[in-house]
Amino acid sequence: MSDEIPQIGLGTWKNKGQETCAEAVEAALDAGYRHIDTAQIYGNERHVGEGLQNSDVPNDEVFVATKIWNNNLKYDKSGKKHHDDAYESALRSRDLLNVDTIDLLYVHWPAEDYGDGTLEALDRLYDEGVIENVGVSNFTPELVREAQRKLDAPLVANQVEMHPLLPQDEMLDFADDAGIDVVAYSPLGRGKALDLPEVQDVAEKHDATPAQVCVAWSIERGAKPIPKSENPDRIRENYGALDVSLDSDDVEKITSVDERERLIDPGFAPDW
Ligand code: A2P
């Protein structure tokens, strides 16, 4: 697998049902997706692994990303095995996903026991080839810079909420400077962005759907969106965004939507 994060990924948040999740992964690979995003907390790494196995697409052509949950961020260098240890939990994720290597392992949130030990565990996983790339998620620019300073391994991405209601201008500029990708989660604003008149106008102009426009808008701005769907038709529809080319007026129209809303903001979130 190349180091490059593919343009569109399948989000699997809340897709917990064994069959729906494995089928969604299979449908996505069939539609052309080569990036599947999951997390320990989603409780579906095993089902993602089943989808990968069931698909005709060879596993080594698929970029598989997962995230270490907040209560698994400690690192015990003495070698004792703890189930909540970042190193051990990554090995477990790899087993559940049934892959040789995890293409990208993120710290899900800079929360709970996140700290230098977490980054040391990631460096070890990287050195040992358990993971191909290190990423972070829900990090502020300051926290990304700090992680970059402390890690030996390169940091390739910050995965953040991004959609027309939260366009993340500063994060995109920062990521350019820092040499990392922005992976955009909830690029449809969990469905909320689909009703925006600006999105609908642009969709009509391009004979596309509002979801395709949201995904295309994300790509046009340099991010790597991971729309979540459990439905094979919508999974295919979202991938069709690659055929929609927005011009700068379209992008501007959507970026300058008046309404702003951060949809995912738990108590343990950083001070954004
Ligand atoms: P479903 O899984 O039933 O398709 P986001 O990626 O922004 O978090 O949005 C995910 C939400 O949007 C889910 O509720 C998902 O439902 C829905 N969704 C995904 N793709 C589409 C689409 N093409 N059209 C309408 N809703 C969609």
Side-chain angles (χ1 to χ4, degrees):
M1 186 74 238
S2 92
D3 266 4
E4 181 73 12
I5 302 176
Q7 201 74 81
I8 297 187
L10 176 75
T12 61
W13 181 77
K14 282 216 165 152
N15 192 346
K16 277 200 178 157
Q18 176 166 2
E19 277 177 24
T20 57
C21 185
E23 282 168 10
V25 169
E26 233 188 305
L29 296 177
D30 197 42
Y33 291 69
R34 290 293 179 271
H35 173 192
I36 308 293
D37 182 89
T38 181
Q40 292 173 348
I41 193 69
Y42 300 169
N44 63 11
E45 287 173 311
R46 185 187 296 282
H47 312 322
V48 167
E50 279 165 16
L52 292 168
Q53 287 301 309
N54 295 344
S55 169
D56 297 333
V57 176
N59 278 5
D60 61 3
E61 291 178 19
V62 187
F63 192 93
V64 181
T66 190
K67 314 181 193 79
I68 310 179
W69 186 240
N70 301 353
N71 58 7
N72 292 338
L73 292 170
K74 293 188 207 46
Y75 178 44
D76 183 350
K77 278 180 278 185
S78 73
K80 290 201 192 98
K81 296 192 190 310
H82 306 281
H83 73 277
D84 58 355
D85 185 90
Y87 179 79
E88 293 298 327
S89 83
L91 296 183
R92 193 168 65 245
S93 287
R94 182 179 63 168
D95 285 349
L96 289 168
L97 288 163
N98 199 7
V99 291
D100 294 335
T101 51
I102 295 170
D103 293 293
L104 173 54
L105 181 67
Y106 298 95
V107 174
H108 205 147
W109 289 89
E112 286 196 38
D113 289 318
Y114 170 69
D116 292 0
T118 314
L119 300 173
E120 282 177 52
L122 287 168
D123 273 332
R124 179 174 168 200
L125 290 160
Y126 179 80
D127 287 343
E128 292 180 359
V130 176
I131 64 175
E132 290 286 333
N133 292 286
V134 174
V136 293
S137 182
N138 300 299
F139 273 44
T140 60
E142 297 69 35
L143 286 164
V144 170
R145 282 290 187 206
E146 188 189 49
Q148 280 182 313
R149 272 197 308 276
K150 291 181 175 171
L151 278 166
D152 290 329
L155 183 70
V156 301
N158 187 18
Q159 183 177 133
V160 295
E161 177 182 346
M162 174 181 154
H163 45 72
L165 295 164
L166 190 67
Q168 295 279 18
D169 298 347
E170 280 171 32
M171 184 57 74
L172 288 170
D173 285 347
F174 164 75
D176 243 6
D177 287 348
I180 62 170
D181 273 332
V182 171
V183 174
Y185 74 75
S186 287
L188 316 178
R190 300 230 160 130
K192 274 191 161 189
L194 307 180
D195 298 330
L196 291 167
E198 293 83 351
V199 168
Q200 297 198 343
D201 285 353
V202 173
E204 204 169 313
K205 172 176 159 187
H206 289 274
D207 202 14
T209 67
Q212 289 171 335
V213 165
C214 287
V215 174
W217 170 83
S218 229
I219 293 173
E220 197 56 42
R221 300 179 77 233
K224 307 265 171 98
I226 50 165
K228 176 263 169 187
S229 180
E230 301 187 7
N231 174 293
D233 288 335
R234 289 193 285 277
I235 287 171
R236 281 188 283 276
E237 175 189 329
N238 297 343
Y239 196 73
L242 287 178
D243 299 324
V244 179
S245 44
L246 304 183
D247 60 38
S248 52
D249 287 347
D250 302 327
V251 173
E252 179 53 28
K253 183 171 181 164
I254 296 171
T255 310
S256 50
V257 163
D258 274 345
E259 225 178 308
R260 291 286 173 253
E261 191 175 355
R262 186 182 286 279
L263 301 165
I264 295 103
D265 198 9
F268 51 75
D271 196 4
W272 303 112

